[in-house]
Amino acid sequence: MTAPAASSPARTRVAPSPTGDPHVGTAYMSLFDVVWARKTGGQFVLRIEDTDRNRLVEGSEDQVLSTLKWLGLTYDEGPDVGGPYAPYKQSERLDTYQPFVEQLIAEGHAYHCWCSSERLAEMRAEQQASKQAVTGYDRLCYGKTREERAALPGFNENPVVRMLIPDDVPLVFEDIIRGQVKAPRPDDQVILKADGFPTYHLAVVVDDHLMNITTVVRGEEWISSTPKHILLYQWLGWELPQFAHMPLLRNTDKSKISKRKNPAARLLWFKEQGYLPEALINFLSLLCYPPVRESEVQTLQEFIDTFEWSKVSTGGPIFDLKKLDWLNGVYIRELAVEELADRVIEHETMITGRWSEMDDAQRALVVAAMPLVRERMTLLGDAAPALEFLFTPDADLVHEPESIAKLKEDAPQVLDAALAALEDLVEWNHEAIQGALREALVDQLGLKPKFAFAPVRVGITGRQVSPPLFESMELLGRESSLARMRALRQKVGA
Ligand code: GLU
């Protein structure tokens, strides 16, 4: 097999069905679509496959559009941006499919089927019971007129249209990742449903052809459908696109990633958790593909520049969230503090609503506080709880009882000495604060640094564990710092 060269512009597409909130697989396919389209100077198309009317979920389409944009997987054509092959939503293209169905019937490649669902269920049950080698539709309707069929049991008024799969259906096809692939023999697939909507199999072929798609990137679960699609291309006299069947994403226990079992199957989960889109893209690009460099940190552009289909491995990439956590931290630390602060505020607003109405001064405080927390951040949501003490009015700050309980007996003396040292401090910055406290607590009281600052920390932040103390005090300001230490001093008694 020769993998396609990157010379002619490719047209790729992702074709999600809006049946729930978007699956991480949609982002995964879109990534490779974007990569190949950009690498070859082509286009990436988003098409909404909404022909299965029973499974539509309100709002799902908008979520697909917005999550792809969030990820920076920008499509060149799609339902909301239009394009030369509009409409990009299958429910708006019903007239497009009809003539092809008629052509296939007229040419003997497809036929009407009036079998009721009860009859089909009975047929399947019998086939199973008798352990027949060949299962699938028994072609009761094939070759019959409506009247002839109506005379038999299990008749349904509104027919479907089925493909007449020939005995010599080609079962082997070329895949640009896998080479020659063999798929099982298909059943007489329904291509037009009783409600007048095409099934996926017809619509996908018609649309991929009419939209000039050159490279069909999709999950390996579609391999078994590909012979049906190839037949349709052949019957309609159309050139085949290239097929790239990507491996299924798997949990660490190797099971297929599904929304029921794994929250990470939901694309929105990553946004809710506070992952950065850049980190998720980096993570997805490593799932079945060697890293650009040993560190595994790579941009989308670097992935595009070095991409080759022959390097995609089919071994069922494992979804290891620990690696994503690590990457997220790396990307968080690469952001400029202003940018990081914006993202933290946006995330906090989305998840808790609590930073939704920040004024300029508060925003500036978040920016100034970022260096204090970003070293330890894994997720965007880690920042706000750690910094809450900065945004709490002094009177509302809770000194956690469990943190107070852990202080040593000398806490009152330590606080007194700290207060005395800080009250007259000329300059209020973290170096001066640290110098004054060291002198008063370590040098003069002879405390070990490890214990010396604990009462001050609990006083300032309410907790034993906090961002760096002296920098926190600088940001909080002298008045609040002293007021909080005095409040704790009162609580710890004599
Ligand atoms: N609508 C199909 C899905 O949601 C698209 C499959 C394909 O890309 O051909 O999985």
Side-chain angles (χ1 to χ4, degrees):
M1 181 202 48
T2 45
S7 50
S8 51
R11 282 180 58 82
T12 58
R13 74 353 178 234
V14 71
S17 300
T19 55
D21 69 32
H23 192 278
V24 65
T26 299
Y28 190 53
M29 300 309 142
S30 302
L31 170 63
F32 288 84
D33 285 325
V34 165
V35 165
W36 192 234
R38 301 278 174 273
K39 186 164 185 94
T40 59
Q43 294 89 32
F44 164 47
V45 177
L46 168 63
R47 183 175 68 230
I48 296 291
E49 299 205 326
D50 56 350
T51 57
D52 193 345
R53 307 308 283 171
N54 300 325
R55 292 181 58 221
L56 294 191
V57 173
E58 174 95 27
S60 168
E61 183 183 330
D62 287 343
Q63 285 175 334
V64 169
L65 308 184
S66 61
T67 39
L68 287 182
K69 286 177 194 157
W70 171 69
L71 281 166
L73 297 174
T74 323
Y75 40 91
D76 304 293
E77 299 164 29
D80 57 337
V81 296
Y85 303 93
Y88 290 92
K89 212 164 142 171
Q90 290 185 328
S91 59
E92 293 170 9
R93 301 172 59 81
L94 298 187
D95 294 347
T96 305
Y97 310 115
Q98 192 60 40
F100 297 115
V101 176
E102 279 155 25
Q103 180 187 337
L104 292 171
I105 296 174
E107 292 175 0
H109 294 305
Y111 61 97
H112 284 112
C113 171
W114 292 270
C115 286
S116 64
S117 46
E118 294 77 19
R119 160 149 215 270
L120 293 173
E122 269 171 38
M123 177 200 76
R124 271 192 291 271
E126 275 169 31
Q127 286 176 346
Q128 265 170 10
S130 64
K131 300 212 166 62
Q132 257 172 263
V134 182
T135 55
Y137 183 57
D138 61 4
R139 295 190 175 162
L140 177 66
C141 296
Y142 177 61
K144 293 194 176 63
T145 62
R146 181 187 180 86
E147 289 66 37
E148 286 164 351
R149 177 60 184 88
L152 300 173
F155 176 82
N156 192 12
E157 275 302 318
N158 299 319
V160 301
V161 175
R162 289 181 182 274
M163 293 170 74
L164 182 66
I165 303 288
D167 289 342
D168 60 353
V169 48
L171 298 176
V172 176
F173 66 92
E174 273 299 313
D175 183 286
I176 55 176
I177 299 172
R178 296 159 190 269
Q180 284 212 330
V181 176
K182 189 165 180 350
R185 195 196 137 78
D187 190 11
D188 278 3
Q189 175 66 49
V190 174
I191 51 172
L192 191 73
K193 292 180 276 186
D195 63 4
F197 277 76
T199 56
Y200 157 72
H201 303 284
L202 177 71
V204 76
V205 167
V206 170
D207 287 344
D208 282 344
H209 170 72
L210 294 181
M211 294 181 178
N212 262 324
I213 300 302
T214 60
T215 317
V216 170
V217 181
R218 59 185 174 192
E220 70 181 302
E221 70 270 33
W222 298 108
I223 286 179
S224 60
S225 299
T226 306
K228 299 180 237 188
H229 301 175
I230 292 178
L231 271 180
L232 290 170
Y233 278 102
Q234 288 178 346
W235 290 342
L236 294 167
W238 295 338
E239 199 184 320
L240 286 183
Q242 292 170 327
F243 292 103
H245 288 96
M246 300 294 296
L248 282 183
L249 303 182
R250 298 190 181 274
N251 296 312
T252 34
D253 69 359
K254 301 249 168 98
S255 60
K256 173 182 158 187
I257 214 162
S258 77
K259 285 199 231 168
R260 219 162 17 92
K261 285 211 221 125
N262 189 337
R266 291 179 53 236
L267 195 42
L268 285 171
W269 180 83
F270 297 92
K271 194 171 181 196
E272 292 159 4
Q273 289 302 299
Y275 289 105
L276 301 182
E278 305 89 312
L280 181 53
I281 291 289
N282 192 151
F283 175 68
L284 293 177
S285 71
L286 295 168
L287 282 182
C288 63
Y289 199 89
V292 170
R293 65 178 67 82
E294 210 183 324
S295 75
E296 301 195 303
V297 179
Q298 59 197 41
T299 63
L300 176 57
Q301 192 55 51
E302 288 172 322
F303 186 42
I304 293 172
D305 291 343
T306 53
F307 180 77
E308 286 169 40
W309 285 111
S310 60
K311 289 199 216 153
V312 177
S313 77
T314 53
I318 302 241
F319 216 78
D320 177 7
L321 288 174
K322 280 203 210 90
K323 182 182 278 185
L324 177 59
D325 281 347
W326 167 74
L327 277 171
N328 210 50
V330 170
Y331 278 86
I332 280 178
R333 284 178 275 289
E334 275 181 8
L335 290 179
V337 282
E338 292 80 8
E339 174 69 25
L340 179 58
D342 280 348
R343 301 225 201 170
V344 163
I345 294 169
E346 196 187 328
H347 183 259
E348 211 47 38
T349 302
M350 174 178 82
I351 299 300
T352 67
R354 94 180 129 179
W355 283 3
S356 55
E357 281 166 27
M358 286 205 147
D359 57 27
D360 287 350
Q362 288 170 319
R363 198 169 265 273
L365 187 54
V366 179
V367 174
M370 283 302 112
L372 274 54
V373 287
R374 74 173 161 189
E375 289 313 312
R376 295 223 199 123
M377 278 172 75
T378 301
L379 301 168
L380 287 176
D382 294 342
L387 295 176
E388 206 176 273
F389 71 94
L390 284 177
F391 297 90
T392 309
D394 297 336
D396 297 345
L397 183 82
V398 178
H399 292 111
E400 285 178 350
E402 43 302 3
S403 296
I404 295 181
K406 283 195 199 127
L407 294 178
K408 298 180 42 157
E409 279 161 16
D410 62 359
Q413 292 75 43
V414 174
L415 284 167
D416 284 340
L419 278 161
L422 295 174
E423 264 153 10
D424 302 323
L425 201 63
V426 185
E427 274 193 68
W428 190 261
N429 60 48
H430 66 94
E431 282 137 5
I433 297 167
Q434 179 171 16
L437 287 178
R438 267 194 174 273
E439 194 189 321
L441 308 181
V442 180
D443 301 345
Q444 291 183 12
L445 289 186
L447 299 171
K448 290 216 174 80
K450 198 174 152 212
F451 302 113
F453 307 117
V456 181
R457 187 184 300 280
V458 175
I460 299 295
T461 67
R463 303 181 189 168
Q464 284 273 343
V465 179
S466 79
L469 179 61
F470 312 116
E471 285 82 353
S472 297
M473 293 172 78
E474 178 181 330
L475 289 181
L476 193 60
R478 183 197 306 259
E479 245 176 81
S480 284
S481 299
L482 296 182
R484 289 174 181 206
M485 288 163 64
R486 286 190 198 109
L488 179 64
R489 174 68 186 84
Q490 286 212 320
K491 283 181 201 154
V492 294

